[in-house]
Structures are given as structure tokens and as C-alpha cells.
Amino acid sequence: MKITVIGTGYVGLVTGTCLAEMGNHVVCLDVDAAKIRILEEGGIPIHEPGLLEMVTRNRSAGRLQFTTDIVAAVNHGTLQFIGVGTPPDEDGSADLKYVIEAARNVGRHMTDYKVVIDKSTVPVGTADKVRTAIADELTQRGVSIDFAVVSNPEFLKEGAAVEDFMRPDRIIVGAEDERAILLMRAVYSPFFRSHERLLVMDTRSAEFTKYAANSMLATRISFMNELALLAEKVGADIELVRKGIGSDPRIGYQFLYPGAGYGGSCFPKDVKALIKTGRGSGVELQVLQAVEAANERQKHVLVDKIVARFGEDLSGRELALWGLSFKPNTDDMREAPSRVIIAELARRGAKLRAYDPVAMPEARRVLEGVSGLSFVDSPAAALAGADALVIITEWKEFKSPDFDTIKAQLKQPVIVDGRNLYEPQLMDTLGIEYHGIGRSSALANRR
């Protein structure tokens, strides 16, 4: 099948590459010539495990091409996937200008039947706007060409996007056009050979499903973060509580890990957008407003712990930071808790030495000019002479460190752990002062 994917960012590039992997002929379009140049030179503009190898393999096989030529891209695919960005507008709503412009380009240049597929995360009603934009362009051209608009939201986790696309839990297709539904079944059938995973519904329900899913996951995270704060006050261990409630099959264990707050390109944006959609429809989504407020507070929890231990004035203090990206296995710094933590610590005069296995180039870009912040090329280099180790992102290489080395390199053996990687009892035994999120520690309590 001939497929065009509009946008070579996170959603578009993963979508196009995985569809090519199944034998389709895919052309990925982007108006950003710099991105296309990176792809043409054999690189990729994002970090995603397994993606570079898949891109290379499918380019070599001739199934995956990249272009800035809008006309050629529109003419190529019967299926036109829109995977462009929908950044939050000033009022929290999703900015659809890139989606609508992509739709207009299809309308300006299409010469035969097209299925235009919203793959980006978009508000309820966007399919109608896309349909209107294409129809307006066809009217201006004075032509009548059949087309269909489909909502097909992505459910990809950064750091596991290739696996999620190739082995989906479900595929949501919002469509009313029977021909379009048949084509969508055809393109996705290789991804669910063992049993049906494709759910067909109307476009508005499909659009709503994406926002509802991300908002539910964000709610679980903020709920556990609030429970962790309370656990510290009442002397409970949130990790034991997590296991206790997670063992209930009605609840499950996923997204019950307390930490430094959620970030990234999806949860913060989608929660804001759904709150805005609710207000526009006369419904105040009070639970989601609380979720958002709790998350913003949680990004300050590590700073509060450091201030409680070392004082409000951190001048003369040096802190080692492990992890900068908003989650492991990605270089995404959008809405990352590390950005708030670093800004607050720097404002109080601390000297910061930061390390991340993957996100250093992006971190240097977004944190440029932060006073007292330096970047180092190893976890050990961050530790040397620091007053404490602060863990922000739970990269695998941080999970089993040499604690003797940590103690030897720190001025004093203090770990502030924003991801609960270590057991408080072990830290007590090793003589390390340990501050987790909602964890109980005899040594910490005595201090």
C-alpha cells in the first residue's frame, strides 16, 4: 500500500517507519528541511530505541523515503497520515494550525480519492475541521474529489514506541466512511494476526479516547504522588502501599510509581487541553484540575527536601544530578521535572553538575544560561566533591551503583532520590542518609 506520513517528529517518524516495516511504500513529508537532511544522511532527529535500525533497514529496501516536496507526497499515498505537532496554545488548548495546514495541502494537491488520517493527538471535533479545510480547498479549485477523514490516535510510550506500534494493545479507528474503514483494516491487519485489536467508532469518540487515556494515566501518577506525601507524614512506606493496592486486579500496578512528577510532550499538554475542552463545553473537570496542580507541586518536592536538609541558602553547596530527561530511554526534555528542579536549586545559589546517558545535547540547549550548572560525561564525574546526590530520572544504569564509590566521592553520604530506586533499609546499613519519595528510613527519621 502507498502511504504518506506528514511530519517526521516523534509520532510521524515512528508511524511511517513501522508501516514501511510491514511492506508498505511510505513517503514521509516534512517542511523542515533540516530534519529531512538528517534523515537523508542516515540519522534520526529523535532518540527512540530500535528506531534508527528500522529506518536504515527500510530505506535500504526502498520502502521508506523522505521529502520536502508537498505535491509529490500528496500524490503518493492513498492514505495520508497527519502526524504533526499540536503544541499547547496560550490558553492551554491544542494549537491546530499545523494539522489544518497539512489538511489544506492535501486539498490543494489531491487528484484522486484520499483517506486523511489524524494521527496527532487532537481535540474532539478536529476531524470535522480537517474535513472542512479539505472541502474548502477543493471548492476553491472548482473540483469534486471524494475523500474521507479518519481519527486514528497514537498510543505510543516514548522509549518503547517501536514496540508499542508493532505490538499494539488496541488500534482505535474513528470513521464513518466504509471504504476508509476497509483500508484502515487492511493497513493494520498485519499488526494483529492472532486476534482482533481494531476498534471502530465515530471520530469524536476516537478523539476523546486519546485524551481520556492520557488523563487517566496522569491521574494515577498524581494520586500516588499525593499519597506519598501523606505517607511521609504518617510514617508509612509508599512502596509497600503501592504493592498492597497494586495487587488488587481492579487497580493493577501500572503507573502507580511515585516520583518527581510527570512531564514530556503528552500528559501535561493533554491534561491542559481536556480541561480547556471541558470549560468550552460548560463542564469544569475538577479532578483533572487537581491532577495538574498536584503535578506542579510534585516537581518542587525534591527541592523542598534539599532545602530542609541544607537550608534555604544553597550558596557554596554542590549537588550531583543524575538524570535530566522526563523519563528513561528518551532525550525529551519537554516539561521535564529536572527543568523546574534545576531552576529552583540554581536560584538558591547551588552549583550543579548534571549527567544523563542520552539527553545531554538537548539539555544543554534548553538549559543554556542557567547559573551554576555544568554538564559532565559520567555519573562519577557528577559526584566528585558534591554535598549530595540527587536522582531525577530512573535510568537503568543508576539502579545498581557502587555505593562505596558514591560515599567516597561525596563530601557527605546524602542521597535525595526522586524515583525511589534504593531501599531505605539498605541505605541505613551502608551509612547513607537517604531521602526518597514517601519512604520510611530509620536513619532519616533520627536525623
Side-chain angles (χ1 to χ4, degrees):
M1 192 175 292
K2 290 186 176 181
I3 296 171
T4 294
V5 177
I6 303 167
T8 60
Y10 177 74
V11 173
L13 186 57
V14 172
T15 297
T17 304
C18 291
L19 290 173
E21 180 77 1
M22 289 302 191
N24 299 291
H25 183 191
V26 179
V27 170
C28 290
L29 166 70
D30 206 301
V31 295
D32 187 339
K35 280 187 178 180
I36 297 299
R37 184 165 54 252
I38 291 170
L39 291 160
E40 286 291 317
E41 291 174 353
I44 58 174
I46 60 174
H47 176 83
E48 185 61 42
L51 183 60
L52 177 59
E53 295 81 2
M54 191 177 284
V55 168
T56 302
R57 181 167 61 249
N58 284 281
R59 283 191 69 222
S60 299
R63 293 189 297 267
L64 183 61
Q65 296 172 283
F66 304 103
T67 185
T68 58
D69 188 332
I70 295 172
V71 176
V74 171
N75 287 333
H76 172 78
T78 299
L79 302 186
Q80 302 269 322
F81 284 85
I82 297 178
V84 298
T86 54
D89 217 334
E90 291 182 2
D91 62 358
S93 62
D95 188 344
L96 296 177
K97 63 184 177 184
Y98 302 117
V99 171
I100 299 303
E101 181 59 25
R104 289 194 177 280
N105 282 333
V106 175
R108 288 176 188 131
H109 303 295
M110 61 186 286
T111 57
D112 56 6
Y113 177 79
K114 302 291 183 186
V115 180
V116 181
I117 304 149
D118 288 330
K119 197 68 177 170
S120 302
T121 300
V122 293
V124 176
T126 298
D128 296 335
K129 295 178 180 180
V130 167
R131 189 178 295 109
T132 299
I134 296 171
D136 287 347
E137 293 297 330
L138 293 174
T139 299
Q140 290 183 35
R141 292 170 57 193
V143 298
S144 178
I145 304 172
D146 287 341
F147 69 94
V149 176
V150 171
S151 175
N152 176 219
E154 53 85 14
F155 296 95
L156 308 177
K157 300 185 295 291
E158 290 194 45
V162 172
E163 176 71 15
D164 286 346
F165 199 104
M166 299 301 289
R167 295 175 177 83
D169 296 318
R170 77 287 205 198
I171 297 167
I172 303 294
V173 172
E176 291 81 24
D177 183 282
E178 288 300 325
R179 184 177 175 186
I181 293 171
L182 286 173
L183 287 170
M184 295 299 287
R185 287 190 184 278
V187 77
Y188 279 120
S189 61
F191 296 92
F192 49 84
R193 298 301 294 272
S194 59
H195 63 277
E196 179 72 43
R197 292 190 179 93
L198 191 141
L199 303 175
V200 178
M201 58 187 71
D202 62 276
T203 54
R204 286 178 175 251
S205 294
E207 292 164 342
F208 200 171
T209 297
K210 170 62 176 180
Y211 277 115
N214 277 356
S215 295
M216 173 62 80
L217 297 175
T219 298
R220 287 171 68 97
I221 293 171
S222 281
F223 178 67
M224 284 304 292
N225 282 336
E226 286 211 313
L227 290 187
L229 297 180
L230 180 57
E232 291 184 6
K233 299 296 185 182
V234 301
D237 188 331
I238 196 64
E239 278 299 295
L240 299 178
V241 175
R242 179 185 67 79
K243 293 173 183 177
I245 66 175
S247 59
D248 186 331
R250 297 170 300 175
I251 298 173
Y253 291 102
Q254 291 188 319
F255 287 85
L256 290 185
Y257 292 89
Y262 62 75
S265 63
C266 295
F267 288 4
K269 173 175 68 71
D270 295 352
V271 168
K272 287 180 185 294
L274 194 52
I275 291 171
K276 175 66 177 178
T277 297
R279 285 180 178 152
S281 302
V283 178
E284 285 292 329
L285 300 179
Q286 296 176 346
V287 171
L288 284 188
Q289 292 174 40
V291 166
E292 184 178 44
N295 189 60
E296 289 307 307
R297 177 178 64 180
Q298 197 68 20
K299 291 181 179 181
H300 294 265
V301 166
L302 288 188
V303 177
D304 293 342
K305 290 178 179 294
I306 292 165
V307 168
R309 177 61 178 78
F310 295 106
E312 182 70 30
D313 184 2
L314 297 176
S315 300
R317 297 292 185 181
E318 298 183 9
L319 300 172
L321 308 182
W322 282 6
L324 298 170
S325 58
F326 87 93
K327 63 180 289 189
N329 298 320
T330 181
D331 62 349
D332 198 339
M333 291 289 296
R334 287 173 288 185
E335 301 285 344
S338 65
R339 299 176 69 165
V340 173
I341 293 166
I342 287 170
E344 289 298 311
L345 295 176
R347 183 173 66 82
R348 290 170 171 82
K351 298 293 184 182
L352 308 170
R353 288 194 299 276
Y355 169 77
D356 188 284
V358 168
M360 299 285 269
E362 181 65 7
R364 284 191 173 95
R365 185 184 72 82
V366 301
L367 296 170
E368 184 179 5
V370 174
S371 176
L373 174 64
S374 60
F375 299 95
V376 295
D377 58 6
S378 71
L383 293 171
D387 291 283
L389 166 61
V390 183
I391 299 172
I392 304 175
T393 312
E394 67 275 31
W395 287 92
K396 286 182 179 179
E397 68 181 81
F398 303 153
K399 292 184 177 182
S400 296
D402 184 334
F403 290 109
D404 288 337
T405 298
I406 291 175
K407 287 182 64 178
Q409 295 200 345
L410 292 175
K411 286 181 184 175
Q412 45 195 323
V414 178
I415 296 178
V416 183
D417 183 358
R419 299 298 173 180
N420 288 346
L421 295 187
Y422 313 132
E423 284 299 319
Q425 292 79 10
L426 175 62
M427 297 298 98
D428 288 350
T429 301
L430 296 174
I432 294 174
E433 182 182 336
Y434 181 71
H435 302 270
I437 305 292
R439 305 302 307 271
S440 59
S441 168
L443 180 61
N445 289 337
R446 284 201 304 271
R447 292 178 184 275

